[in-house]
Amino acid sequence: MLEPHGQSVATARRRRAEPAPRPRVSRVLDARLAYARRADRADGLAHFRTRFVGADTDLVYFDGNSLGRPPIAAVEGVERFLREQWGGRLIRGWDESWLRLPLELGDRIGASVIGAKPGQTVVGDSTTVLLYKLMRAAVDGQRRRDPNRVEIVIGDDDFPTDRYLVEGIAAERGARVRWVPVDRSRGLTPELLAAAVGPRTALVVASHVSYRSAYLADAALLSRIAHDAGALVLWDLCHSAGSVPIEADAWGFDLAAGCTYKYLNGGPGSPAFAYVRDDLQPLLRQPIQGWFGSADQFAMGPGYRPEPDIRRFQSGTPPIVGMLAMVSTLEMIEDAGMAAVREKSVALTEFAIDLAEELLAPLGVTLGSPPDPAERGGHVLLHHDAMREVNARLWERDVIGDYRDPGGLRIGLAPLSTSFEEVHRGLTAVQTVLREVLAERAGLG
């Protein structure tokens, strides 16, 4: 018996039983998913993922470079502190560990995260406030040493807070800003910095990892270029601390500041940390003189006399509750080591870029981050003029990325809490949503 088109029933049944050839994209996805699962099984840091709230759900979190997931132990630790320490000890808690906590956490960050010996790092205040203190102290100190040093050098695509602070401090102190035009897919390079510094440079402000492109600066070389010109250098470590190994002492840092709510998982608005090289501490006068930075805090004296060490960079009462959540992540980093964290970070971003090349490049997406992992931090920027709308729709589907003008989707991959399968699931969702948006634009949706 023949079917209308001349095909026997037996042949039709046999053909229905055989799987139809699948599109290439489907085969790519299957291969990449298998790779992701193998990578997760082989991942020496995979067990840390189970320590984070919500990591066992289907939500894809691509924004760990803005706000990290909360560790389960941090939630429990903060609740225990509220009941037992604050609730139980009340004001007596200051007689024990609270006064020491900003310095103790600073030393732990110094040892495990930024490569600094004890006594050079302190936790307290917001990132903006600490950056302001360090910038002002450096500019004033340089002017006292040499009145001709009146310029602050900074890239024109640094994070807005850094640029706004530089503008404000220059206006306050009669200084000038020397803007360095940078490639937005990269950042402040040695060649650009060398051409910008000179005998009038007081301070160079530089980002270790660019917030937009993830460009990873050669911090040791840039510090040396600044020093050769007689300038101090202040490093913004916000997008590198906890993701990229840092050697503040070995690389010749003068000053640095970084936040703790990204890769250190301190929580929304958790206090930042400041690094001041030990030989600079007695020479710099921080501008926000408060009682926690005074030499005899409880003397309540008539005049301000600063502590001789890193404590002079404190101002008011430190936010103790806000410091507690990061302890859990510091313990994980101390256990794993930053070398292992960086190794996984590179593997995650390489996988994301490979997927983007296969799934998104045919749709017009381009890479806005350095392709060389040696020049890239812990996130990836993907460009397309539809990304603002794509990101909004992804949020509705529990795929949480981060949009940055113009047309940039930032894929932030926190090594301790992100899995390879999560990256695969997220980039597949980006492909699906981008196709929908493009179809609607073409009038096909």
Side-chain angles (χ1 to χ4, degrees), residues 119-140:
Q120 300 180 107
T121 311
V122 65
V123 175
D125 300 315
S126 70
T127 311
T128 301
V129 171
L130 286 181
L131 284 169
Y132 174 79
K133 289 180 179 182
L134 299 182
M135 288 180 189
R136 262 285 302 269
V139 169
D140 289 352

Side-chain angles (χ1 to χ4, degrees), residues 193-265:
L193 181 61
V197 295
R200 302 181 71 79
T201 308
L203 176 67
V204 173
V205 177
S207 294
H208 189 209
V209 170
S210 168
Y211 85 99
R212 187 191 304 274
S213 70
Y215 173 70
L216 176 60
D218 187 334
L221 179 54
L222 265 62
S223 295
R224 187 161 64 248
I225 292 170
H227 293 161
D228 287 346
L232 295 177
V233 61
L234 166 57
W235 283 99
D236 182 332
L237 305 178
C238 287
H239 284 85
S240 59
S243 174
V244 176
I246 301 163
E247 296 294 339
D249 290 347
W251 294 346
F253 282 14
D254 300 311
L255 308 159
C259 62
T260 63
Y261 42 80
K262 294 180 172 62
Y263 298 109
L264 299 185
N265 308 102

Side-chain angles (χ1 to χ4, degrees), residues 131 135 154 158-166 205 207 236:
L131 284 169
M135 288 180 189
I154 185 171
D158 267 40
F159 191 76
T161 287
D162 301 54
R163 293 185 280 109
Y164 301 161
L165 284 170
V166 164
V205 177
S207 294
D236 182 332

Side-chain angles (χ1 to χ4, degrees), residues 33 56 69 92 98-99 191 201 205 211-212 234 251 268 271 308 341 363 391 418 424 440:
L33 178 57
D56 57 345
R69 289 182 182 271
R92 293 174 293 180
W98 300 356
L99 284 171
E191 296 76 17
T201 308
V205 177
Y211 85 99
R212 187 191 304 274
L234 166 57
W251 294 346
V341 172
L363 301 176
N391 189 55
T418 304
H424 179 275
E440 291 172 10

